[in-house]
């Protein structure tokens, strides 16, 4: 869950990106920043540290991202540090990606299977889910051997579970109820 403050910064960056017609460029920058921060515990601690001066944080961000990022992105990072919100940097980046996806009518869907699906099956599933949701679908596949077979699909808070494990669990529950 993205904090309200982070969401406000993310919305502001999205709006200015749209106004300046740099949405795709800024999205790539945001994904780079998010992936870097997400994978670096040290960078997270550095940004959250109250001991480190904001000038040092700003310089570090410029060194890390300045040569690879648009000037608008760097100006935004400067603003975030100036306002003392650098500890929310990853939250802001996540919020931006979420708002971008809402704006572009994209939905993330998690698919759980016992074995990997063929490319053809993945494409058919993608098309079926796009037809069902009316949105562009980004599928995220997870292989979990304990499912034994079948497929489970998670769309936001809704889970469609057609796995063999789920069916066995339901049968077990039913047998236990009738045995008592």
């Amino acid at each position: 869950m993205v904090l309200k403050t982070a969401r406000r910064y993310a919305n502001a960056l999205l709006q200015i990106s749209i106004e300046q017609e740099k949405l795709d460029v800024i999205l790539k920058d945001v994904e780079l920043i998010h992936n870097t921060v997400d994978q670096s515990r040290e960078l997270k601690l550095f940004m959250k540290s109250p001991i480190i001066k904001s000038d040092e944080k700003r310089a570090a961000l410029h060194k890390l991202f300045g040569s690879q990022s648009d000037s608008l992105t760097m100006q935004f990072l400067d603003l975030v540090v100036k306002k003392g919100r650098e500890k929310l940097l990853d939250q802001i980046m996540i919020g931006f990606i979420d708002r971008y996806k809402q704006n572009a009518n994209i939905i993330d869907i998690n698919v759980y299977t016992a074995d990997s699906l063929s490319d053809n099956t993945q494409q058919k599933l993608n098309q079926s889910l796009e037809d069902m949701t009316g949105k562009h679908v980004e599928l995220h596949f997870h292989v979990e051997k304990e499912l034994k077979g079948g497929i489970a699909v998670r769309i936001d808070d809704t889970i469609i579970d057609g796995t063999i494990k789920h069916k066995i669990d339901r049968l077990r529950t039913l047998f236990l109820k009738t045995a008592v």
Side-chain angles (χ1 to χ4, degrees):
M1 176 104 170
V2 176
L3 298 173
K4 189 175 183 179
T5 305
R7 217 176 13 251
R8 281 198 311 260
Y9 278 87
N11 287 336
L13 181 58
L14 181 73
Q15 291 305 315
I16 197 151
S17 300
I18 292 169
E19 288 170 12
Q20 293 190 12
E21 297 179 357
K22 292 184 172 185
L23 188 56
D24 292 334
V25 172
I26 302 304
L27 176 63
K28 287 180 183 163
D29 292 349
V30 165
E31 288 173 337
L32 170 68
I33 294 166
H34 168 62
N35 290 335
T36 304
V37 172
D38 191 47
Q39 294 173 7
S40 174
R41 182 176 180 270
E42 293 81 15
L43 183 56
K44 283 181 194 174
L45 293 174
F46 181 82
M47 286 296 143
K48 290 180 180 181
S49 175
I51 298 168
I52 300 170
K53 292 181 170 70
S54 56
D55 288 343
E56 293 176 47
K57 293 177 182 180
R58 189 180 153 281
L61 289 172
H62 276 267
K63 188 169 185 163
L64 284 170
F65 305 114
S67 64
Q68 305 170 63
S69 299
D70 187 82
S71 61
L72 176 61
T73 304
M74 297 314 299
Q75 290 171 359
F76 179 77
L77 292 177
D78 288 345
L79 175 71
V80 168
V81 173
K82 180 181 175 188
K83 296 291 186 178
R85 302 297 188 187
E86 63 275 3
K87 60 185 161 280
L88 298 175
L89 186 59
D90 198 37
Q91 287 267 316
I92 294 168
M93 299 300 110
I94 292 169
F96 180 90
I97 293 167
D98 289 346
R99 288 289 293 130
Y100 170 83
K101 287 182 177 182
Q102 283 178 336
N103 196 47
N105 206 27
I106 298 170
I107 187 169
D108 287 311
I109 296 179
N110 290 300
V111 177
Y112 302 89
T113 58
D115 292 312
S116 297
L117 299 176
S118 69
D119 289 342
N120 187 36
T121 304
Q122 288 181 16
Q123 289 172 356
K124 287 179 182 178
L125 179 61
N126 191 318
Q127 187 60 52
S128 295
L129 290 169
E130 283 185 355
D131 293 343
M132 184 178 97
T133 62
K135 297 183 178 193
H136 177 71
V137 170
E138 286 186 3
L139 294 178
H140 304 280
F141 292 95
H142 309 276
V143 175
E144 297 180 3
K145 296 289 183 192
E146 64 271 7
L147 297 178
K148 299 186 181 16
I151 187 170
V153 177
R154 181 177 183 157
I155 306 170
D156 292 326
D157 293 339
T158 304
I159 298 174
I160 303 166
D161 197 339
T163 62
I164 292 174
K165 180 185 182 304
H166 177 69
K167 291 177 183 178
I168 290 171
D169 289 345
R170 283 183 33 210
L171 281 173
R172 182 178 300 122
T173 302
L174 180 66
F175 287 145
L176 288 173
K177 281 182 182 179
T178 57
V180 174

